[in-house]
Amino acid sequence: MAISRKRKADELLSSPAAVNCAPPSPDFFRSLPPRLQEQDNLDYFEAFHVKRRNVMKSPFQDTEWHRLQLDYQLLTDFVTDPRCSISFSRPVILKMLSLFESEDERERVALATLLKGIYDRFPEHRVFIRKSVYDIFYQFNCSSHSKHNGIPVLLTFLKNIVEERESVCLEDEFRVFLLRSLIPLYKSKWLVMFYPYLRNCIAEFIVKDRKIADSIMQGMLRYWPKQGSSREYFFLDAAECFLVEAKLSTDFSSSVVGLLEKIAGCLKSLQFNVAEKALSLLDVNGGLGILIKKNFKFILQIVYSGLKEVAAKHWRPKTKELALKISTALKAIDPVFYDNCYIASLFCEEDEAGMEWMALAREERWTQLEGMAAAKKEWSGLSTNFRQELCG
């Protein structure tokens, strides 16, 4: 099949008519079939299992794929062959982008390959292609009730574009798109479908320009889910990746302090996946080990209370064992300061217990006063009635 396809492409390219035109493909002008109802009814909300990667149990298989595959491969050969100087109109590119909503994953991969070939071959279309892709993400953020199957491959496409750029600093176009479109994707209920691609794409932005890391972390804090949600797992995973790529040493901005406070809160989560992920971020042998060792005192003051609580009260034995292991490794860095944090936590617990006792005593005293007032009011009423009877 591959030999005949290559021979067909060579014959078409060798003809005089193939110098300035491409073979018309009806696939660019067909309408996609309606989405399957059972796929739209799948539950991607916060309770969805965070470790599940294969979302679709039975991926959709287009019965016409064998014919479509030949068309895509033939057109890709025309785009990548230097002997052919073809041109694409903007309506054709827009129609091709609309096909990324196809349910067949093979077609989406073929479209991504073709789009990348057009982007590399024709510089005059690059700005238009980027803005068209941006528009897809903007529309998806505005209509989060419906999913878009092409988000993962489009994120990979953008990651490759940023990776291939020679300039270290990003242009304003990429910065605006990152902050206004990519970061808000973390609030989507379909996050489980594309979050690894989203994390890798944003990490590539940080590699190109580490100054933008602070703005990214501020955006993460803005869309951070409520405590106790399994979606916190995605945010912890992304925070680890971004902190590693940013290569922070000692300069901690308010956004990094906010992330550390969120990590400390996630340690107390009843979702064991979230709690164990937060514990793994504090591992001195992990990706953030260098950051933890250089800023040990600052970080331990923020996370110690949560670390102590999960080691003593968590419902899962394996999570408690992991917390004890992390605590032992942290104590080995600076035992004296670790003991000081322990003593300070005892004083805080005593203060909290004292305040709780005072609150209970105050509430009991108010109850007594209310009872005395009610009894006095009742006796006054009886006295008034007795006087009226005597006078009568």
Side-chain angles (χ1 to χ4, degrees):
M1 181 182 296
I3 298 176
S4 60
R5 179 178 57 83
K6 186 66 176 176
R7 186 180 303 168
K8 183 178 180 181
D10 291 337
E11 292 177 357
L12 289 173
L13 286 168
S14 60
S15 63
V19 177
N20 294 314
C21 65
S25 177
D27 302 323
F28 285 149
F29 306 100
R30 80 183 199 280
S31 298
L32 292 174
R35 293 178 179 175
L36 299 179
Q37 187 67 25
E38 60 269 19
Q39 294 179 0
D40 288 337
N41 290 335
L42 289 176
D43 185 12
Y44 295 106
F45 289 94
E46 297 179 1
F48 201 84
H49 199 278
V50 294
K51 286 189 175 181
R52 188 174 180 182
R53 297 291 184 268
N54 187 16
V55 177
M56 312 300 289
K57 291 184 179 180
S58 56
F60 176 78
Q61 300 287 333
D62 196 340
T63 56
E64 299 292 333
W65 170 244
H66 297 291
R67 178 183 61 81
L68 297 174
Q69 183 180 17
L70 291 175
D71 292 338
Y72 281 122
Q73 290 177 348
L74 182 62
L75 191 54
T76 302
D77 290 339
F78 270 86
V79 171
T80 57
D81 198 302
R83 294 175 294 173
C84 184
S85 58
I86 61 178
S87 60
F88 284 82
S89 62
R90 291 187 174 184
V92 173
I93 294 176
L94 290 176
K95 186 62 180 177
M96 182 174 62
L97 290 174
S98 67
L99 293 177
F100 275 96
E101 294 193 33
S102 173
E103 297 287 350
D104 198 325
E105 182 181 0
R106 299 169 297 181
E107 182 174 8
R108 298 196 297 269
V109 173
L111 282 167
T113 304
L114 180 58
L115 182 64
K116 189 64 172 61
I118 297 173
Y119 187 88
D120 294 337
R121 181 75 183 278
F122 306 104
E124 64 272 13
H125 290 319
R126 290 179 181 177
V127 176
F128 176 75
I129 292 176
R130 289 201 303 267
K131 291 184 177 181
S132 300
V133 173
Y134 297 164
D135 187 61
I136 293 176
F137 285 97
Y138 290 138
Q139 293 180 8
F140 178 73
N141 285 328
C142 293
S143 58
S144 57
H145 61 279
S146 60
K147 67 184 179 72
H148 193 293
N149 296 315
I151 296 296
V153 290
L154 291 176
L155 286 170
T156 305
F157 172 74
L158 290 173
K159 174 182 176 294
N160 295 332
I161 291 177
V162 176
E163 186 178 5
E164 293 174 358
R165 299 189 70 83
E166 297 179 357
S167 59
V168 178
C169 297
L170 294 174
E171 292 82 353
D172 292 338
E173 171 195 344
F174 291 95
R175 288 173 174 269
V176 171
F177 171 69
L178 172 65
L179 300 177
R180 295 185 180 179
S181 183
L182 287 187
I183 297 297
L185 286 176
Y186 273 98
K187 68 179 180 180
S188 173
K189 71 177 184 180
W190 310 99
L191 180 62
V192 69
M193 293 183 60
F194 54 80
Y195 96 93
Y197 306 93
L198 178 61
R199 177 199 59 199
N200 297 335
C201 183
I202 297 178
E204 192 61 39
F205 279 84
I206 298 178
V207 171
K208 286 297 180 181
D209 191 358
R210 292 191 178 94
K211 296 180 181 179
I212 204 173
D214 185 66
S215 300
I216 292 175
M217 293 174 189
Q218 289 179 2
M220 294 289 294
L221 292 175
R222 186 180 302 115
Y223 298 109
W224 199 279
K226 295 181 180 179
Q227 189 173 355
S229 169
S230 60
R231 289 170 63 91
E232 288 182 306
Y233 181 91
F234 306 127
F235 284 75
L236 291 172
D237 187 38
E240 180 184 15
C241 180
F242 300 160
L243 288 173
V244 170
E245 295 296 341
K247 295 181 180 180
L248 299 175
S249 57
T250 56
D251 297 333
F252 276 5
S253 62
S254 59
S255 60
V256 180
V257 176
L259 279 177
L260 292 174
E261 292 175 350
K262 292 294 185 182
I263 292 173
C266 291
L267 291 172
K268 307 174 186 179
S269 177
L270 296 178
Q271 297 278 348
F272 71 93
N273 286 317
V274 176
E276 292 180 358
K277 183 63 179 178
L279 287 170
S280 67
L281 298 184
L282 302 177
D283 189 2
V284 295
N285 298 320
L288 301 179
I290 299 176
L291 180 66
I292 294 173
K293 291 177 181 178
K294 289 184 178 180
N295 307 273
F296 172 73
K297 295 182 178 181
F298 181 81
I299 295 176
L300 187 63
Q301 292 178 4
I302 299 176
V303 304
Y304 181 81
S305 61
L307 188 63
K308 181 181 177 181
E309 182 175 343
V310 71
K313 301 180 181 179
H314 202 275
W315 63 271
R316 193 167 187 259
K318 290 185 178 180
T319 306
K320 294 174 67 174
E321 293 176 4
L322 180 60
L324 292 173
K325 181 180 177 181
I326 297 297
S327 300
T328 304
L330 292 174
K331 186 176 182 180
I333 298 176
D334 192 343
V336 177
F337 186 79
Y338 190 92
D339 293 337
N340 292 336
C341 289
Y342 174 74
I343 296 172
S345 67
L346 292 180
F347 281 113
C348 291
E349 291 177 0
E350 290 179 358
D351 293 340
E352 291 177 359
M355 294 178 64
E356 184 178 356
W357 179 84
M358 291 177 61
L360 291 175
R362 188 183 299 110
E363 184 178 356
E364 184 179 358
R365 181 60 177 165
W366 274 110
T367 303
Q368 293 177 358
L369 292 173
E370 290 174 356
M372 293 171 60
K376 185 176 180 180
K377 184 177 181 181
E378 183 179 357
W379 176 254
S380 300
L382 290 174
S383 301
T384 303
N385 295 332
F386 181 70
R387 289 175 182 175
Q388 290 178 356
E389 291 178 1
L390 289 177
C391 294

